[in-house]
Amino acid sequence: MMIIARMLLRRVLLLVPLMLGIVLFVFIVMRFADMDPASAYYQGANPTAEQLHQFREENGLLDPLAVRYADFVGDLITGDMGISVLTRAPVIDQVSTALPLTMQLTFLGLGVGVVLSLILGVTAAIYRDRLPDQIIRVVSLTGVAAPSFWLALLMIQYGAVELGWFPTGGYINPNDSFTGWLETMTLPALALSLPVAAQLTRIVRTAVVEELDRDYVRTAVGSGLPPVVVVGRNVLRNALVNPLTVLGLRVGYLLGGAVVIETIFGLPGMGKLMIDAVRNGDPAVVQGVVLTTAAGFVVINLVIDILYLLVNPRLRSAA
């Protein structure tokens, strides 16, 4: 446990410079973006040059870049992401409202992708070079090549419009109706997860095949242990390291893909918040969404690192 605690502490400490670098990058990019908070504030009101100058002066937009960055970091530390120039509401409130839906979609898609990849990958490995393996390999290859937005459009056409099994869009809070929530989230989660599941299936299959060829597996099966026990207790645990590595990298895809999927299905999550902010030229909201998404990606990868330690004791001993 002490080894795990030290490794966890080391990774947490590394998050500090990483997040500062992300904040600096986002700050610089947003300063050069074609978004003027003053123009957005007076949108449609034909402000005078004096009004624009007064707004920029009152909001510190004319301060030196270093001063603005220090103020920006200081505000973030206190949980202040700024004020939306359009709604006049704190950005943190808008993000807090939209983030739960995006996290629901991301983790639901992540769960579906992991379950599908484990079932299909292990099945393909056990029946390698036979008909089930060949079918799964063709299906996974097709899934890797299919973009999530294209799958989303197909699902709306066939699953919602023609068959009428699911709604074409919208969102129902699970507190109001869990069944309604599940109906509105099923197609978005499937569209988001299937490309990830297809890629992970191929990796799980390769990892399990390599483990099945090891001497300890043949020895365990030869000693009379049921193959199901050997695969479930030993093979899967040793084979999950490589898939976890890829899964950590695909979290960014899931978060980014959720933005697109939310837009297609009309879900009021971070995607809609981002699109509306970009369309209306609201930089505070844009940078708030980007920073929150980046922080989520970093935290989830920290969780993946912890899972490495749980599934592979060799990593703990090497530490």
Side-chain angles (χ1 to χ4, degrees):
M1 293 300 295
M2 291 298 297
I3 295 176
I4 296 178
R6 284 199 300 269
M7 293 190 68
L8 180 59
L9 179 60
R10 187 190 313 161
R11 282 165 170 75
V12 170
L13 292 177
L14 287 175
L15 294 185
V16 177
L18 178 60
M19 287 305 303
L20 287 176
I22 293 174
V23 170
L24 177 60
F25 176 77
V26 172
F27 175 82
I28 293 174
V29 170
M30 292 305 301
R31 298 294 80 77
F32 291 98
D34 188 19
M35 290 185 183
D36 183 11
S39 300
Y41 181 82
Y42 290 105
Q43 195 173 40
N46 296 320
T48 64
E50 290 76 12
Q51 288 176 312
L52 293 174
H53 180 81
Q54 181 180 0
F55 178 88
R56 295 185 181 113
E57 186 174 19
E58 291 175 350
N59 290 272
L61 299 177
L62 301 180
D63 293 339
L65 201 60
V67 175
R68 294 167 62 186
Y69 177 68
D71 293 339
F72 179 58
V73 173
D75 290 340
L76 286 178
I77 292 175
T78 61
D80 183 5
M81 290 185 172
I83 303 294
S84 169
V85 295
L86 296 177
T87 64
R88 314 297 192 267
V91 175
I92 187 67
D93 292 344
Q94 299 182 57
V95 170
S96 300
T97 301
L99 182 61
L101 189 148
T102 300
M103 298 308 293
Q104 291 172 25
L105 177 58
T106 299
F107 283 108
L108 188 58
L110 184 64
V112 172
V114 169
V115 171
L116 285 177
S117 63
L118 286 177
I119 294 174
L120 296 177
V122 173
T123 302
I126 293 175
Y127 293 95
R128 56 177 151 175
D129 298 329
R130 285 181 277 178
L131 183 60
D133 180 29
Q134 294 172 356
I135 294 175
I136 291 174
R137 287 162 71 178
V138 171
V139 171
S140 64
L141 183 61
T142 304
V144 170
S148 59
F149 70 87
W150 180 73
L151 291 174
L153 296 176
L154 285 182
M155 290 177 182
I156 291 175
Q157 177 64 33
Y158 294 104
V161 176
E162 296 191 7
L163 298 176
W165 290 348
F166 301 97
T168 58
Y171 176 72
I172 296 178
N173 194 297
N175 295 327
D176 298 332
S177 171
F178 180 78
T179 303
W181 172 81
L182 197 59
E183 289 177 351
T184 58
M185 297 295 283
T186 296
L187 293 185
L190 285 175
L192 183 64
S193 66
L194 288 182
V196 175
Q199 184 181 20
L200 286 176
T201 295
R202 296 166 61 85
I203 297 170
V204 169
R205 177 196 177 275
T206 301
V208 173
V209 165
E210 291 177 353
E211 287 298 319
L212 289 175
D213 288 337
R214 297 188 183 277
D215 293 336
Y216 78 88
V217 175
R218 288 191 290 268
T219 301
V221 174
S223 64
L225 286 176
V228 174
V229 175
V230 176
V231 171
R233 182 182 299 174
N234 302 106
V235 172
L236 269 182
R237 183 166 185 171
N238 294 330
L240 283 180
V241 176
N242 288 338
L244 277 176
T245 304
V246 177
L247 182 63
L249 297 175
R250 299 305 288 175
V251 168
Y253 168 85
L254 288 169
L255 288 172
V259 172
V260 178
I261 296 300
E262 287 173 1
T263 304
I264 293 175
F265 285 94
L267 300 175
M270 297 283 278
K272 184 177 185 300
L273 186 62
M274 167 74 86
I275 296 300
D276 290 345
V278 171
R279 183 184 296 118
N280 297 318
D282 197 340
V285 176
V286 172
Q287 67 188 13
V289 172
V290 172
L291 286 174
T292 303
T293 304
F297 175 76
V298 170
V299 170
I300 293 175
N301 272 272
L302 175 63
V303 174
I304 297 295
D305 286 342
I306 297 173
L307 290 178
Y308 288 159
L309 302 176
L310 297 178
V311 302
N312 193 346
R314 288 174 294 183
L315 292 178
R316 297 197 294 266
S317 61

